[in-house]
Amino acid sequence: MGYLVADQLVSGRGCEGRLLADQLAKLKSMLTLNTSTVSQAVIGGKLLANECSMTRATERETKIYRRNLARVLAGLERHFPAPADGSPPRVTWNIPGGGMFAVVSLPFEADEAMLEYSAQRFGVLWTPMRHFYPEGGGTHQIRLSFSVLTPAQIDEGLARLAALVRDRTA
């Protein structure tokens, strides 16, 4: 279950002046029939318990994501430091402002075959970013998820990723 802020007006194809929320509700009802009433009740209860504030309702998760993001970024810095000679780093990453993913650029292609090799040989999983580029791109990028991991699991996963990079670039 998710949510969307859709209070803006839409335009085009006879929709001028209508709220996006109304258009999405209409489409949703045609596509998914009904959202589980149990899911709606759980989310509604959580919102009511937090004065209808998504920010308050997700405070615990936000703290965990921030902690985990900081751990991932520190671990990437530790395992893949900038070269002392000033040459370009072989592994780089983004610094997301939030969320539960970091994107890492590798010095080799990160496709399904490499993912399988990574999983079998090093026990580490990641998502190839090429799937997020419908026009092509992201061939050397991976997405790391850290939402439900413990700090120890993050450390272990990054150590395994570093071993994969050393193996592929040796």
Side-chain angles (χ1 to χ4, degrees):
M1 183 161 192
Y3 78 97
L4 173 73
V5 176
D7 59 349
Q8 60 271 50
L9 297 176
V10 295
S11 62
R13 292 191 181 182
C15 298
E16 290 84 6
R18 295 185 185 169
L19 283 178
L20 178 58
D22 294 337
Q23 296 299 76
L24 290 174
K26 183 176 163 183
L27 287 170
K28 184 199 171 301
S29 69
M30 290 187 283
L31 296 172
T32 63
L33 299 178
N34 294 307
T35 302
S36 161
T37 53
V38 173
S39 294
Q40 290 181 51
V42 168
I43 298 301
K46 188 164 182 160
L47 284 170
L48 288 173
N50 288 281
E51 299 174 7
C52 295
S53 167
M54 283 300 288
T55 300
R56 288 190 60 198
T58 58
E59 280 178 356
R60 182 179 62 91
E61 293 84 359
T62 300
K63 286 178 186 174
I64 291 169
Y65 292 171
R66 283 188 181 138
R67 177 202 70 196
N68 288 357
L69 173 58
R71 191 71 171 229
V72 165
L73 295 176
L76 288 168
E77 191 69 42
R78 186 172 60 257
H79 287 287
F80 306 108
D85 64 3
S87 63
R90 293 170 29 157
V91 175
T92 59
W93 53 90
N94 72 330
I95 301 176
M100 58 186 89
F101 305 107
V103 177
V104 178
S105 296
L106 301 173
F108 51 85
E109 192 167 349
D111 58 10
E112 284 73 18
M114 184 56 63
L115 175 57
E116 185 175 342
Y117 180 79
S118 174
Q120 288 178 346
R121 180 100 188 264
F122 298 94
V124 64
L125 296 174
W126 36 264
T127 301
M129 283 298 293
R130 68 180 346 126
H131 301 296
F132 299 93
Y133 291 84
E135 302 297 320
T139 58
H140 289 70
Q141 294 179 316
I142 62 174
R143 184 175 82 170
L144 301 180
S145 174
F146 51 81
S147 61
V148 297
L149 300 176
T150 66
Q153 290 171 320
I154 290 169
D155 294 344
E156 179 66 25
L158 291 173
R160 292 178 184 197
L161 178 64
L164 168 69
V165 171
R166 284 191 304 273
D167 176 77
R168 294 286 81 192
T169 56

